[in-house]
Amino acid sequence: MTNQLKLLFMLLFMIPMSGMAQNATLSPAATETVQEALDWISGKLPDIKMNKYFDGSLTRRGYTEIYNYTIEYDAANCTVILNQKYSWVKDDRSGRNDYDVETKYEFKLSDIKSIEIVENSPYYGVNSYVVKTNNSKDLIKQGENAMVNEFAIKYNELGELAENPERFLNAFNDAIKNCGGGKKEKY
């Protein structure tokens, strides 16, 4: 085959199989559903946070962990960036030892298999929404260079979702399904 025929073959047969072409063909109704779900998630995410004091032993002081989240998204392309701000404050006899870390998780909703609630620490009342990829592949970009197959949205406060935390799962799952994600592993 000549180079031109090879290029034509790739354009006609290979690119439509990629995730980009799949997202480009999202129907207007599906795009609207994804937009609605992500708008709803964006409105609820500021209330989903963890602010917990952990008591230290007699030899050391306690510390506080704080997690806050924001979201950026493009519904038409099914892409999401979840921003996590983690703060840690240690009360020490020598003074406070504070630091903040911000981490971005970038992913396509079509690469997500599930989101579920996981009870992390019943003693401290800390839970997580855990987001997992299809077939446990490292498809979520964490920070600048790392790739992971899951991440957790930790919380001990849910705001108005406290009575029914599954509402967050439902909205997230609607967005995932409309973008072609949520596939079960065959074996």
Side-chain angles (χ1 to χ4, degrees), residues 111-128:
D111 292 335
I112 302 302
K113 177 181 81 173
S114 66
I115 178 171
E116 57 193 38
I117 297 174
V118 175
E119 190 174 337
N120 295 93
S121 174
Y123 179 74
Y124 289 109
V126 177
N127 296 318
S128 296

Side-chain angles (χ1 to χ4, degrees), residues 1-12:
M1 271 193 216
T2 67
N3 288 341
Q4 292 172 337
L5 286 174
K6 286 181 185 177
L7 181 61
L8 181 62
F9 177 80
M10 284 179 41
L11 289 172
L12 291 174

Side-chain angles (χ1 to χ4, degrees), residues 18-39 72-81 107-110 174-180:
S18 72
M20 285 187 195
Q22 180 183 12
N23 290 337
T25 61
L26 205 59
S27 72
T31 301
E32 186 178 327
T33 301
V34 172
Q35 182 73 40
E36 181 182 358
L38 293 173
D39 286 347
E72 303 168 39
Y73 52 88
D74 179 355
N77 291 312
C78 295
T79 56
V80 173
I81 300 173
F107 55 93
K108 290 181 150 289
L109 290 166
S110 59
D174 276 355
I176 291 168
K177 286 177 186 165
N178 279 284
C179 288

Side-chain angles (χ1 to χ4, degrees), residues 1-181:
M1 271 193 216
T2 67
N3 288 341
Q4 292 172 337
L5 286 174
K6 286 181 185 177
L7 181 61
L8 181 62
F9 177 80
M10 284 179 41
L11 289 172
L12 291 174
F13 297 104
M14 302 295 268
I15 293 176
M17 295 178 196
S18 72
M20 285 187 195
Q22 180 183 12
N23 290 337
T25 61
L26 205 59
S27 72
T31 301
E32 186 178 327
T33 301
V34 172
Q35 182 73 40
E36 181 182 358
L38 293 173
D39 286 347
W40 187 89
I41 290 168
S42 178
K44 301 299 180 197
L45 208 51
D47 293 336
I48 299 172
K49 55 189 162 199
M50 185 178 119
N51 186 346
K52 191 70 179 169
Y53 178 77
F54 295 90
D55 194 12
S57 67
L58 294 175
T59 58
R60 63 184 182 141
R61 299 291 175 139
Y63 60 96
T64 302
E65 287 187 344
I66 303 166
Y67 288 86
N68 292 301
Y69 304 93
T70 58
I71 190 171
E72 303 168 39
Y73 52 88
D74 179 355
N77 291 312
C78 295
T79 56
V80 173
I81 300 173
L82 188 115
N83 302 300
Q84 172 186 279
K85 183 176 180 186
Y86 170 70
S87 302
W88 186 79
V89 180
K90 183 177 180 183
D91 294 327
D92 198 339
R93 289 188 176 106
S94 62
R96 290 170 54 106
N97 180 11
D98 302 0
Y99 71 88
D100 292 326
V101 177
E102 293 191 29
T103 305
K104 287 186 178 201
Y105 295 95
E106 299 180 45
F107 55 93
K108 290 181 150 289
L109 290 166
S110 59
D111 292 335
I112 302 302
K113 177 181 81 173
S114 66
I115 178 171
E116 57 193 38
I117 297 174
V118 175
E119 190 174 337
N120 295 93
S121 174
Y123 179 74
Y124 289 109
V126 177
N127 296 318
S128 296
Y129 290 113
V130 178
V131 178
K132 297 181 180 185
T133 62
N134 292 319
N135 299 320
S136 302
K137 293 181 183 174
D138 293 343
L139 300 172
I140 300 169
K141 184 177 177 185
Q142 177 184 7
E144 294 297 318
N145 299 315
M147 297 297 286
V148 297
N149 65 4
E150 70 178 43
F151 68 91
I153 302 170
K154 293 185 177 185
Y155 65 86
N156 68 339
E157 299 176 26
L158 287 175
E160 66 182 48
L161 291 175
E163 296 297 318
N164 191 357
E166 289 79 17
R167 290 177 65 205
F168 187 81
L169 297 178
N170 294 340
F172 213 104
N173 282 324
D174 276 355
I176 291 168
K177 286 177 186 165
N178 279 284
C179 288

